[in-house]
């Protein structure tokens, strides 16, 4: 059985009931009401003890009844992952600007066995322990990205960071771990994820030159031309052997069959 224990590190205002904010109170918003919503997680740290972690929640604050009863729900363990939802009750959360600040509330999650290196998924966000600290896992790279920067995990994460359709995928032309060259169409699914019968797509295809940085691949140049001119203007250190034989990109053109 998993256990959740609540502690307050900041000073959340205590709730005093709906009646105090009923119609007729001077300055009251016409439509506030108590509701339960997801709480914002600010940080996670190990302990106390091997079976617990402490989660710092940024609870709503700024006036009375902004937040109360910050708590853990849907606490489960499955396949070496601990899942939890952190929620709070608020009288004013439905009123924009009614709770302009936050205060830190700490919630302790305890497992029946040592947590160790197991992944935590809190409010759909994954966290992993690295060098004694919990870090948020990347939405695109996951919790344990491969060391090889040419792995599709890294190259497709780079595509998702571009200003292209979410349906676009990259075609890698060259990758040496430091430099990446790939072509990406702007919007290959302009006719929809399931293309309408007879619909045609005619979209630009761009060539992206990227450099490996600690956080991932970073674009240094984009072009539709062949050769090296555009990338060498932006990054003179780019290896010529990776661009010398490149041809212009052209366009992505396709037509869905008629039914």
């Amino acid at each position: 059985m998993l256990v959740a224990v609540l502690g307050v590190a900041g000073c959340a205002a205590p709730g005093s009931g709906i009646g105090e904010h009923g119609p007729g109170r001077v300055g009251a918003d016409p439509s506030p009401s108590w509701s339960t919503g997801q709480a914002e997680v600010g940080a996670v740290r190990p302990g106390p003890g091997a079976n617990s972690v402490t989660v710092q929640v940024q609870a709503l604050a700024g006036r009375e009844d902004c937040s109360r009863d910050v708590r853990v729900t849907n606490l489960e363990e499955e396949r070496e992952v601990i899942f939890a939802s952190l929620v709070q009750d608020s009288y004013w959360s439905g009123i924009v600007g009614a709770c302009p600040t936050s205060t830190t509330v700490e919630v302790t999650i305890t497992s029946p066995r040592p947590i160790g290196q197991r992944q935590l998924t809190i409010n759909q966000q994954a966290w992993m322990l690295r060098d004694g600290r919990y870090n948020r896992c990347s939405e695109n790279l996951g919790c344990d990205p491969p060391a090889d920067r040419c792995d599709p995990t890294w190259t497709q994460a780079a595509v998702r960071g571009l200003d292209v359709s979410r349906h676009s995928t990259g075609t890698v032309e060259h990758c040496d771990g430091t430099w990446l060259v790939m072509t990406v169409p702007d919007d290959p699914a302009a006719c929809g994820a399931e293309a309408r019968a007879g619909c045609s797509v005619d979209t630009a295809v761009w060539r992206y030159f990227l450099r490996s940085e600690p956080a991932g691949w970073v674009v240094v140049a984009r072009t539709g031309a062949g050769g090296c001119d555009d990338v060498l203007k932006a990054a003179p250190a780019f290896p010529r052997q990776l661009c010398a034989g490149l041809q212009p990109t052209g366009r992505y053109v396709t037509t869905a069959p008629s039914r």
Side-chain angles (χ1 to χ4, degrees):
M1 178 179 180
L2 293 169
V3 179
V5 180
L6 174 66
V8 179
C11 187
S16 56
I18 298 176
E20 290 190 11
H21 301 285
R25 177 172 175 173
V26 176
D29 190 279
S31 58
S33 62
W34 284 107
S35 62
T36 300
Q38 195 172 86
E40 179 183 352
V41 176
V44 182
R45 69 174 186 269
N51 292 32
S52 299
V53 295
T54 300
V55 183
Q56 292 186 342
V57 175
Q58 299 305 306
L60 297 174
R63 68 191 301 169
E64 189 178 20
D65 290 343
C66 276
S67 177
R68 72 177 185 187
D69 195 18
V70 179
R71 62 195 183 276
V72 176
T73 63
N74 303 321
L75 197 55
E76 299 178 357
E77 291 188 11
E78 182 179 339
R79 296 181 182 178
E80 296 302 299
V81 179
I82 297 174
F83 295 90
S85 298
L86 270 66
V87 300
Q88 64 185 331
D89 296 335
S90 176
Y91 189 75
W92 299 99
S93 61
I95 309 300
V96 176
C99 298
T101 61
S102 64
T103 189
T104 301
V105 175
E106 293 191 342
V107 179
T108 301
I109 300 174
T110 301
S111 170
R113 59 192 179 93
I115 292 175
Q117 297 294 320
R118 285 186 288 164
Q119 177 184 315
L120 309 175
T121 299
I122 305 171
N123 290 356
Q124 295 82 52
Q125 169 67 58
W127 297 76
M128 282 293 287
L129 189 65
R130 292 283 186 273
D131 300 322
R133 298 179 57 187
Y134 277 99
N135 298 291
R136 295 178 193 264
C137 298
S138 167
E139 181 180 351
N140 292 325
L141 298 172
C143 295
D144 192 19
D148 180 9
R149 287 297 179 93
C150 296
D151 186 275
T153 301
W154 284 101
T155 59
Q156 291 309 310
V159 173
R160 288 190 286 272
L162 302 176
D163 185 19
V164 295
S165 164
R166 63 187 179 89
H167 299 289
S168 296
T169 58
T171 299
V172 175
E173 296 180 303
H174 296 289
C175 183
D176 65 2
T178 301
W179 300 97
L180 169 65
V181 185
M182 64 179 173
T183 56
V184 185
D186 271 348
D187 188 3
C191 290
E194 295 183 6
R196 301 182 298 277
C199 181
S200 295
V201 174
D202 185 349
T203 192
V205 176
W206 296 99
R207 176 172 289 117
Y208 292 85
F209 298 88
L210 304 96
R211 180 177 56 238
S212 180
E213 299 287 354
W217 290 106
V218 176
V219 176
V220 296
R222 186 190 80 159
T223 184
C228 297
D229 289 351
D230 288 336
V231 65
L232 291 178
K233 289 176 184 176
F238 187 86
R240 284 184 174 272
Q241 66 268 25
L242 299 185
C243 57
L246 296 176
Q247 300 299 310
T249 57
R251 300 184 66 80
Y252 177 89
V253 180
T254 186
T255 301
S258 300
R259 294 191 179 94

